Amino acid sequence: MARTVTVRTLANMKRAGEKIAMLTAYDYPTAKLLSEAGVHVLLVGDSLGMVVQGQPTTVPVTLDHMVYHASLVSRGAEGAMVVADLPFLTYQVSAEEALRSAGRLMQEGGVHGVKLEGGREMAKTVRRLVDAGIPVMGHIGLTPQSVHTFGGFTVQGKTADRALEMMEDALALEEAGAFSIVLEAVPAEVAAEITHRLSIPTIGIGAGPHCDGQVLVFHDFIGYTSGYIPKHNKRYADLASIIRDAARQYIEEVAQGVFPGEEQTVHLQDGELRLFQSMVARHGGGARE
């Protein structure tokens, strides 16, 4: 990727009908590989609570966690725009607290923008951050930080009334200055209408093919996890099987004495070996009990 992706880049891509590819990243090597591949946006998602920390939801993730992982991703990103989630209760209490939280992610985490969950109720907070010079990505539909309110990870906007409310949420976020909006677990028809009505890009996850871009969780996309696979996910590799097979081969080779082999072994030069052996002989003594 020759030039750094910016808010303006994404806006131009929407106008040109070019699709935006976004993936989550939580560490330096992943960020480096994905940006080298040409991914436009790297999202340091609070999904790290589930796929990295093993938590049941994203709620336990703290701002310190996010700042740490954001700093790793920012150092690895080469040309990709880096956006980080504001974690639970770091922006809902007040706009000023949101500003302080976002400021830490920008200053200490090195990100180019932040993402927060919520619709019209977050419009004033979005405006406060934007006025302070912080790019904001919105997130509506299934908002994981509210999973306990929803009663689980379920599709949102399945009725006409709720779909209309969602569209109004999106318009309010755009009016407040958001540069993009994630639509998660939304019927494709609803996502298509919202995408058509907004002048800013929409990024879908489980929202059908008509959004301006798509995002997947890295561990799901690369097959790094096992068990439940979300309906919206497509596995582009099976890294979990590769890792398991490699570990089994390693265990077997260690047990059989095959590893390390000659290629992985360093030897003393002949002269140093003879000198070492003579020094050992003069040293005397046997093996310690």
Side-chain angles (χ1 to χ4, degrees):
M1 191 178 298
R3 302 180 64 182
T4 300
V5 175
T6 65
V7 168
R8 180 173 294 182
T9 306
L10 302 181
N12 289 339
M13 290 180 71
K14 179 181 175 82
R15 284 193 288 270
E18 300 173 6
K19 296 289 189 178
I20 299 163
M22 181 163 81
L23 285 169
T24 66
Y26 314 103
D27 56 44
Y28 171 86
T30 301
K32 193 171 189 300
L33 289 172
L34 296 182
S35 57
E36 286 175 352
V39 174
H40 302 109
V41 184
L42 298 178
L43 173 64
V44 189
D46 59 2
S47 50
L48 69 88
M50 301 176 72
V51 298
V52 176
Q53 297 176 342
Q55 301 280 6
T57 71
T58 64
V59 173
V61 177
T62 68
L63 183 58
D64 285 342
H65 294 155
M66 293 303 302
V67 168
Y68 171 74
H69 286 275
S71 69
L72 305 182
V73 172
S74 296
R75 286 195 288 273
E78 299 176 354
M81 182 178 186
V82 180
V83 177
D85 275 331
L86 284 167
F88 183 63
L89 284 187
T90 65
Y91 62 95
Q92 293 97 331
V93 175
S94 71
E96 293 308 307
E97 184 171 356
L99 183 59
R100 287 191 292 270
S101 300
R104 282 196 63 194
L105 284 168
M106 298 281 284
Q107 288 184 311
E108 301 174 43
V111 303
H112 306 119
V114 300
K115 180 169 74 65
L116 54 76
E117 299 179 4
R120 283 162 288 183
E121 73 280 5
M122 297 309 305
K124 289 183 179 179
T125 298
V126 171
R127 173 52 62 189
R128 181 70 180 92
L129 297 182
V130 172
D131 286 345
I134 299 174
V136 178
M137 176 180 284
H139 185 156
I140 60 175
L142 171 58
T143 47
Q145 292 175 15
S146 302
V147 63
H148 297 304
T149 300
F150 295 144
F153 296 96
T154 58
V155 175
Q156 302 299 303
K158 293 191 291 185
T159 66
D161 288 344
R162 184 65 192 101
L164 183 60
E165 290 176 2
M166 196 176 299
M167 185 176 70
E168 291 171 348
D169 283 338
L171 291 169
L173 291 171
E174 178 182 44
E175 177 65 24
F179 72 87
S180 178
I181 298 176
V182 169
L183 304 177
E184 180 169 357
V186 175
E189 296 79 7
V190 179
E193 186 61 32
I194 292 174
T195 300
H196 173 71
R197 288 180 174 270
L198 295 182
S199 61
I200 60 175
T202 60
I203 308 294
I205 177 166
H210 304 299
C211 295
D212 298 303
Q214 299 292 329
V215 60
L216 286 176
V217 172
F218 174 77
H219 290 60
D220 293 337
F221 138 86
I222 206 68
Y224 200 5
T225 54
S226 58
Y228 172 72
I229 302 175
K231 176 179 173 60
H232 62 258
N233 185 64
K234 177 178 179 179
R235 292 199 168 186
Y236 286 81
D238 187 8
L239 196 58
S241 293
I242 293 173
I243 292 172
R244 278 193 295 265
D245 290 345
R248 289 175 182 135
Q249 181 179 350
Y250 167 71
I251 293 166
E252 183 178 349
E253 290 189 3
V254 169
Q256 295 176 352
V258 176
F259 177 84
E262 189 60 31
E263 291 183 359
Q264 296 85 33
T265 303
V266 178
H267 297 282
L268 281 173
Q269 294 183 354
D270 289 344
E272 293 297 325
L273 176 59
R274 287 192 296 271
L275 178 59
F276 173 64
Q277 289 172 335
S278 66
M279 291 170 68
V280 169
R282 289 196 303 271
H283 186 272
R288 294 183 180 180
E289 294 296 331

